[in-house]
Amino acid sequence: MKNAPSSVYCSNAVYERPTLQMDEKGWRGADLIFDIDADSIPTPCKATHAWWYCGDCHRGGMGNKPGRCPFCRGQAAAQMHWSCRECLNATKEHVKRLVDFLQDDFGIDGQSIRLYFSGNRGYHAQVQDERFEMADPQIRAEIANYIRGTGFSLKVQDRVSGRAELGWNRRANLYLAATEGASHLKKNQKLTNQIVAANAALIDESVTTDIHRVFRMPGTLHGSSGLLKMRVDSLEQFDPQKQPVVLSGEPVTVQVYYSPEFFLNGMRFGPYDSSKVKIPIYAAVFLLARGLGAVINN
Ligand SMILES: [Zn+2]
Ligand SMILES: [Zn+2]
């Protein structure tokens, strides 16, 4: 309690003796888990709001990170991404697709799928279904690849057979029916790629294949944002820039080194460049957790 941790995690695995060393714990199964991050969803707007920050001289700029920091000539410039509304909505769309795969293709009951906001800019899904608990990494990799559409190949001829289509074939046929002109395209790789891009959920496969992964614990703050990892009951109504803001709105004076504009709790902050500002504590923590500023003691 004297030294509050910046992050709290818990494992997706169940162990017989969880307090012992890793090889003595006795693995008894693990929840099937998924991670979707805004960073990994390709959105056309990304290039317009990419920025970089130099950890050495605490300065930054918009665009892709330079090889050397133009201010101090050091090599500590890091690429930064903050998500805009469009990026956040695209991420939600991928979560919806994931839930659709889990329910429709894997027959998982909606009640067994728990969705969480990660506390940063992504979502976690945790499946509590005993059919998957004992699945080894290989099985989990197959599930992940299926959901990402890896290796999907188009079989348009199935469409005329009149059979009820399932899985990826159903998605492919819906795409072809909805996309005017797509039927004129050849069954080539380009069309396959389009169908996959329109339907796949870009989950992080390294998370799903892990049978002893630690996930941020729901109800705790994300160490790099000060936002809450929280259960999401209604994806439609959830605003990742609002509900997870749980810290105080009391004002505090901060020297902000650099920050593009960002939105929290319905308010716009920044852009800042060597600015002394009075902002709510939740916005200050959001910046300080990334080393972008320091509190000024009055
Ligand atoms: Zn620098
Ligand atoms: Zn964006």
Side-chain angles (χ1 to χ4, degrees):
M1 288 183 66
K2 278 182 188 159
N3 299 297
S6 71
S7 295
V8 183
Y9 299 96
C10 61
S11 179
N12 67 331
V14 174
Y15 300 102
E16 246 160 78
R17 301 170 296 273
T19 55
L20 297 188
Q21 293 292 318
M22 202 59 201
D23 53 348
E24 295 166 18
K25 284 186 197 293
W27 186 85
R28 290 187 45 191
D31 284 344
L32 186 61
I33 52 173
F34 300 92
D35 180 27
I36 293 182
D37 196 85
D39 271 3
S40 51
I41 314 292
T43 39
C45 53
K46 272 227 166 69
T48 68
H49 53 73
W51 61 288
W52 60 270
Y53 182 68
C54 174
D56 278 351
C57 69
H58 298 296
R59 298 188 72 175
M62 297 304 292
N64 290 326
K65 81 177 174 101
R68 274 177 181 279
C69 170
F71 299 107
C72 72
R73 309 302 302 160
Q75 290 179 305
Q79 187 67 58
M80 310 283 282
H81 289 284
W82 278 357
S83 304
C84 73
R85 191 46 65 182
E86 201 178 330
C87 290
L88 294 171
N89 287 340
T91 312
K92 264 192 190 181
E93 164 64 21
H94 279 252
V95 176
K96 270 187 230 160
R97 293 179 189 178
L98 168 65
V99 171
D100 184 64
F101 278 111
L102 296 177
Q103 290 189 307
D104 258 47
D105 300 39
F106 291 97
I108 295 167
D109 186 69
Q111 301 289 325
S112 310
I113 305 167
R114 293 192 176 177
L115 295 181
Y116 299 92
F117 174 64
S118 73
N120 197 8
R121 63 202 143 205
Y123 295 85
H124 295 162
Q126 193 139 7
V127 173
Q128 287 173 324
D129 183 324
E130 56 186 18
R131 292 177 301 154
F132 298 95
E133 276 168 18
M134 297 305 291
D136 62 19
Q138 210 177 332
I139 293 172
R140 290 170 197 250
E142 282 186 34
I143 293 171
N145 285 335
Y146 179 85
I147 290 169
R148 290 178 58 93
T150 310
F152 167 69
S153 71
L154 194 54
K155 295 188 193 92
V156 179
Q157 69 275 14
D158 286 358
R159 195 178 172 195
V160 290
S161 69
R163 285 185 294 122
E165 290 292 354
L166 299 168
W168 269 100
N169 283 342
R170 173 178 68 83
R171 291 182 179 82
N173 286 338
L174 284 173
Y175 179 86
L176 292 172
T179 319
E180 220 178 322
S183 53
H184 302 305
L185 292 170
K186 282 187 208 133
K187 287 181 270 172
N188 59 14
Q189 195 56 41
K190 196 177 157 210
L191 181 56
T192 303
N193 292 346
Q194 284 175 1
I195 292 169
V196 170
N199 289 282
L202 290 181
I203 54 168
D204 179 342
E205 63 264 62
S206 72
V207 169
T208 299
T209 52
D210 206 333
I211 57 165
H212 27 64
R213 183 83 176 193
V214 289
F215 244 8
R216 187 173 304 284
M217 192 154 95
T220 66
L221 301 181
H222 196 292
S224 317
S225 69
L227 301 177
L228 187 69
K229 169 164 177 178
M230 60 183 293
R231 183 86 181 265
V232 175
D233 290 319
S234 164
L235 201 57
E236 298 291 343
Q237 282 161 32
F238 182 72
D239 182 347
Q241 292 172 324
K242 232 174 196 166
Q243 282 103 313
V245 178
V246 291
L247 293 175
S248 160
E250 218 176 292
V252 60
T253 308
V254 176
Q255 178 68 35
V256 184
Y257 307 135
Y258 183 83
S259 166
E261 70 167 20
F262 60 96
F263 294 84
L264 277 182
N265 206 25
M267 307 241 294
R268 186 175 74 100
F269 299 95
Y272 303 123
D273 198 348
S274 301
S275 324
K276 184 182 166 186
V277 290
K278 211 170 189 178
I279 50 176
I281 285 177
Y282 59 78
V285 170
F286 185 77
L287 294 168
L288 265 60
R290 289 180 167 87
L292 301 173
V295 173
I296 295 173
N297 290 312
N298 301 308

